[in-house]
Amino acid sequence: MSLDLRWSTDLVTFFDPPYWGLPADLPYDDWEREVDNDPRRFFDRMLDEAAQVGLAGIELAPAPGGWVNALNAYGTAAAFKRELDRRNLQMSSSYVLPVFLKAAIDASDPRAQADANRALEEDTARHAAFLREVGCPTMVTSTIPRAPFSDIAGVEASAAAFDAPVDEHLMGVVAEQLDRIGRVAAAEGLHVAVHTDAYSLASRTDDIDLLMSLTDPARVKLCIDAGHIALDGGDPLAVVQRHAGRAPVLHWKDCASHLPPHTLSGPPMTRHDVMIKYFRVMGPDGVVDWAKWTQILRDQGWRGWGVAEIDMSPDPQRQIREGIDYFNRTLATDS
């Protein structure tokens, strides 16, 4: 029996500076400015190449490949949708960094809380209105880390803190804010899907179970990323077994091995640069058992979007094809 899915990619796959003729050591802030200065040039090429590789859709990425620059590139949501339509593309999903979410979680007094909640709702409403007009039902976001990282390069964080049980009060606060986002998105006919970022409150199986139990299943979904879960030493098969029915979007990405979170240090993008060296295209060279993953989905009758992506690929089209070709050769039908 064939699995009912359509393939998309996250635009972060196209974020490698040398792919655009830029220096390999270009700081991320400078990469953002390059795109901000001429978003149309970057978006046109990313959309063209997504269509050329035969994808059915794209997932908007964190800045500079997100919904704000899509608007900057084309002027209106309707104009952006026309660009997708003429390439026979749809939007599977749209990712937003949890900047406003984190501010709402961290608010220290009632006034700051009210201001943070308002900012979160307003940003979500603008994003949701854009997605409704484009015809995309799924807004993706992340939560927050399980424990603090060390911002000092070479200084490890606390392994015990990352491995300790999650504070249930904190998880309740996070769930409340996700429900807040979900209510705003629902007003536009959308839902929110929580991305299973490595080392976050939504990466390990028990944490995900708890978070899903505390949130509205009609409005708060999951975006299960196999590679991120495995990178954190978790079990992507267990997560997909328990929660595939609540996951309209799955990221089919692998990793080379577990990378302990406390060993990552330095500023966020420095840590990210280390993490992405561990990610792998879906295939035989990682740790995820894709045959079992696919069989679980088939047994549950899952249908939705599969996102074939790899952060900052030096050759996006080739690597997207590699993952999908692997699926078609070895996983597409029940053996």
Side-chain angles (χ1 to χ4, degrees):
M1 180 177 66
S2 297
L3 192 61
D4 186 2
L5 85 162
R6 293 177 289 171
W7 288 111
S8 167
T9 195
D10 189 292
L11 294 187
V12 74
T13 304
F14 296 93
F15 278 17
D16 184 48
Y19 189 67
W20 301 90
L22 300 168
D25 59 353
L26 185 74
Y28 198 84
D29 288 349
D30 292 341
W31 156 247
E32 288 193 78
R33 279 189 286 273
E34 287 282 345
V35 182
D36 291 346
N37 288 337
D38 189 5
R40 179 68 181 258
R41 176 172 79 92
F42 288 86
F43 269 83
D44 277 351
R45 182 178 174 188
M46 291 188 290
L47 297 183
D48 284 345
E49 297 199 1
Q52 290 165 11
V53 82
L55 293 170
I58 56 104
E59 177 178 87
L60 289 179
W67 72 276
V68 172
N69 261 348
L71 273 178
N72 292 338
Y74 301 108
T76 65
F80 178 58
K81 186 176 187 305
R82 286 195 293 273
E83 294 296 323
L84 294 172
D85 288 345
R86 74 181 186 86
R87 295 173 173 88
N88 294 314
L89 292 171
Q90 295 179 297
M91 269 184 58
S92 61
S93 37
S94 178
Y95 180 83
V96 59
L97 286 169
V99 176
F100 290 98
L101 176 66
K102 187 176 187 307
I105 292 167
D106 291 344
S108 58
D109 60 69
R111 175 172 291 182
Q113 185 72 72
D115 290 345
N117 288 348
R118 186 180 310 111
L120 175 62
E121 291 175 3
E122 289 173 354
D123 184 72
T124 301
R126 290 191 293 269
H127 190 181
F130 169 84
L131 295 183
R132 175 187 51 75
E133 192 163 354
V134 175
C136 172
T138 305
M139 180 188 301
V140 178
T141 192
S142 305
T143 56
I144 59 174
R146 293 185 101 253
F149 285 101
S150 168
D151 290 328
I152 303 173
V155 177
E156 292 191 351
S158 167
F162 273 99
D163 290 339
V166 169
D167 182 316
E168 292 195 13
H169 173 73
L170 174 61
M171 190 69 92
V173 171
V174 172
E176 179 182 352
Q177 294 299 344
L178 289 170
D179 275 338
R180 181 185 304 279
I181 298 172
R183 287 193 295 272
V184 175
E188 298 286 358
L190 279 63
H191 48 247
V192 173
V194 181
H195 184 262
T196 57
D197 271 18
Y199 321 126
S200 74
L201 293 178
S203 176
R204 303 182 184 184
T205 308
D206 290 346
D207 295 348
I208 294 171
D209 290 347
L210 177 58
L211 186 61
M212 292 296 96
S213 75
L214 295 173
T215 49
D216 181 347
R219 297 170 178 170
V220 180
K221 312 290 186 181
L222 268 181
C223 174
I224 302 173
D225 188 313
H228 270 268
I229 294 171
L231 191 70
D232 195 11
D235 184 352
L237 299 182
V239 176
V240 81
Q241 177 72 60
R242 299 185 193 186
H243 300 291
R246 203 163 160 178
V249 178
L250 302 175
H251 283 203
W252 297 59
K253 180 171 65 187
D254 213 327
C255 72
S257 66
H258 168 44
L259 174 62
H262 67 280
T263 64
L264 293 165
S265 63
M269 288 312 299
T270 299
R271 301 194 303 266
H272 181 262
D273 287 346
V274 175
M275 289 170 59
I276 65 174
K277 293 175 183 176
Y278 283 74
F279 288 134
R280 298 290 183 269
V281 175
M282 172 180 52
D285 298 327
V287 300
V288 177
D289 188 330
W290 291 110
K292 289 184 179 177
W293 163 282
T294 306
Q295 190 58 52
I296 290 167
L297 296 175
R298 191 177 286 116
D299 290 345
Q300 295 192 17
W302 178 85
R303 56 183 299 180
W305 284 97
V307 179
E309 50 102 15
I310 191 79
D311 299 58
M312 301 179 179
S313 171
D315 191 348
Q317 288 190 311
R318 176 181 62 79
Q319 292 201 295
I320 291 168
R321 285 193 182 100
E322 281 181 3
I324 296 174
D325 287 349
Y326 172 79
F327 174 86
N328 289 334
R329 289 194 315 272
T330 66
L331 305 170
T333 58
D334 190 352
S335 58

